[in-house]
Amino acid sequence: MRAVLSFAFQVLSTIIIFLASTGTCVQIAVSLTYTEYVGTALGNGVSQWLGLRYAAPPVGALRFAPPQDPPVYSEPQPAINHGNWCVRRPGKGLTSEDCLFLDVYAPTNATTDSKLPVFVFIQGGGFNDNANPNLNGTGLIKASSNSIVVVTLNYRVGPYGFLANRKQAVANNGLRDQRKALEWVQKYISRFGGNPDHVVLGGASAGAASVAYHMMADKDGKRKLFHAAAAESVSFGTVLTVDQAQYQYDNLVNRLGCASSDSAASLACLRSKSQKEIADKDSDIPYPGSSTAPIYMWSPVIDGDFVTDYPYSAFKTGKFTRNIPVIFGDDTNGGAGFAPSRISSLKDSNQFIKDNFPAITAGQLDTLNKLYPNPQASSCPSMGCWRGQAGSVYGEMRYMCPGLYLNDAFDHYNDRYQKGTSSWAYRWNVEDKDQIAAGLGVPHIVELNAIFGPSNIYYGGQVPKSYRPGGTNAAAVQVIQGYWVSFIKTFDPNTLRWAGSAEWKAWKSGDTAASARHQRLLFGTGGKTAMEEISRDSGLGVRCEFLQSIGISLWQ
């Protein structure tokens, strides 16, 4: 049987290789040092290799352990189906603990000498889920006229990726998975036509936060796993130390009957449990001193190794990868979908913020209440009448203001005289009538549908109808893809931007240093674009200045 399969793969490879151009073409069968993967030529100028192992299955003794090298297979492996994706709890879609897979999309006519720019995208999910698995890179490649390579990946989440223990369990394995994938790209992407010396790292939400963590981890710039970054809705959530996070570990082992004074024994007991047993007992619990569990409990922690500081502190002091071009941005109503409908009073709103940022003080909450008056107060008391206010605070505290802070940090620390080190900012304000009707406004990372293209989103929510071909916002898809492809290929979003779209000026730009202004690109409904200024004394400027000033004290 094995001989028959091997012969079948050889025949398939021969057929597709024949269809590809000759010479040193990236063939549908690609040999890596540990196996050969057989992908698919789609017939549209793009080939794909799905479900490539970049690390060993993190099961058994490797559960809660750093990622290890992938296993060696002597027979060719089919790369025609997406790999399992990582979730905290099984039961939806193709999920498993054995989930460390990535997908590669490349032009079919690329050669091993093509040295095409590479875009590596890290999905979000609050570090508790893989929220955007199986994103299809075909749309971006077609938008680039078949001149880039796209890589997407899965990584461990929940306790599997972010369990922390003082003595035994290595922390932040989800981030270590991502690094393992980036190292895989450095080692193998040339075999698919990509250039390991031209890698743009992308991500959304927790994936964008991951981009920031990789910048922090490579503060001396020696790893060089990426050379530019474009991140949507960078998330600065609460960051605990390993000691502070011990209560999460203790709670889990207690619920599973694994409690022991010997931490090695308790960890071994956790490894002996099935994924279902863990899922049945792994419920969110409040931070110590809070009343309700946070939206996302399992998260990166300060471990003194991969994560050595709070993000706000690291970027304030220049301890991050410098002198690379970056894009950071957010959506107008990024917090709208997170605040629960039960928030019906100022007290409820304050408690919601404290449940997610437990270090916040009463005085800081008082200031926030003044900075964020409730426009719906006249409708109170009624169910949810403070939900909008709470969502506004949460959205700017966790997403918008951290992103602008990163723009500031890169502007401050980058070598202004070194070409290709600019920092760009944006706001996605493309309105979809269904989302507006649902009270979401322009919600969290909705632009991901446009960046990859509305037909290339496999999972992770409903694609706005207006983004589809013929829709009122179809032009917005072309516009943002133009900027992104330009940035991926040239490290500048303007070089190849869509005809008629605005020149995207750097975050701090002007004719002279004295006249320099903070500006970001505004993506509008129907594909409209324009620059907007953010002054320090504007409403957003004042709010962000306060939130950024207390970020370290909030453990962000």
Side-chain angles (χ1 to χ4, degrees), residues 358-389:
I360 198 166
T361 67
Q364 291 166 342
L365 283 170
D366 286 342
T367 301
L368 286 176
N369 294 336
K370 295 173 183 176
L371 290 173
Y372 293 86
N374 182 10
Q376 295 178 313
S378 60
S379 66
C380 293
S382 65
M383 178 62 73
C385 65
W386 278 82
R387 183 184 185 186
Q389 187 264 3

Side-chain angles (χ1 to χ4, degrees), residues 260-336:
S260 172
S261 58
D262 182 348
S263 59
S266 66
L267 188 59
C269 179
L270 284 182
R271 285 178 171 144
S272 73
K273 301 296 183 180
S274 70
Q275 189 179 16
K276 183 178 186 306
E277 286 177 303
I278 293 177
D280 288 344
K281 300 297 183 181
D282 174 29
S283 59
D284 290 326
I285 57 175
Y287 289 117
S290 294
S291 61
T292 304
I295 297 173
Y296 302 112
M297 187 182 82
W298 300 101
S299 294
V301 297
I302 295 176
D303 60 359
D305 178 23
F306 200 111
V307 181
T308 60
D309 204 349
Y310 299 112
Y312 264 123
S313 178
F315 283 92
K316 179 180 181 179
T317 55
K319 297 176 182 177
F320 61 92
T321 307
R322 304 186 196 178
N323 292 325
I324 63 171
V326 293
I327 292 174
F328 299 109
D330 195 21
D331 310 88
T332 298
N333 308 108

Side-chain angles (χ1 to χ4, degrees), residues 491-525:
F491 296 155
D492 185 329
N494 292 296
T495 312
L496 305 171
R497 73 181 188 270
W498 190 259
S501 57
E503 178 187 357
W504 192 342
K505 297 180 181 179
W507 165 239
K508 190 173 183 181
S509 56
D511 295 332
T512 65
S515 64
R517 306 187 305 276
H518 290 100
Q519 300 181 81
R520 64 182 178 182
L521 182 67
L522 178 65
F523 288 93
T525 306

Side-chain angles (χ1 to χ4, degrees), residues 34 37 51-73 84 86 96-102 154-156 160 173 176-177 180-181 183-184 188:
Y34 58 95
Y37 278 112
L52 309 187
R53 290 191 184 276
Y54 68 85
V59 299
L62 294 183
R63 180 190 274 176
F64 311 128
Q68 302 299 308
D69 290 340
V72 175
Y73 295 100
N84 303 318
C86 309
S96 170
E97 276 191 80
D98 180 8
C99 61
L100 299 185
F101 298 94
L102 56 76
N154 299 334
Y155 59 95
R156 283 175 288 176
Y160 303 99
N173 284 318
R176 297 176 197 275
D177 293 343
K180 190 74 169 176
E183 292 170 345
W184 186 97
Y188 295 116

Side-chain angles (χ1 to χ4, degrees), residues 172 175 179 201 208-223 226 234-236 239 300-303 305-322 324 328 406 409-410 555-556:
N172 297 317
L175 295 177
R179 178 186 287 174
L201 184 60
S210 299
V211 172
Y213 280 117
H214 288 293
M215 291 173 172
M216 292 162 56
D218 191 25
K219 53 182 173 289
D220 55 9
K222 292 182 179 179
R223 284 197 176 88
F226 55 95
V234 174
S235 172
F236 279 13
V239 181
V301 297
I302 295 176
D303 60 359
D305 178 23
F306 200 111
V307 181
T308 60
D309 204 349
Y310 299 112
Y312 264 123
S313 178
F315 283 92
K316 179 180 181 179
T317 55
K319 297 176 182 177
F320 61 92
T321 307
R322 304 186 196 178
I324 63 171
F328 299 109
L406 296 186
F410 273 90
W555 306 339
Q556 289 180 285

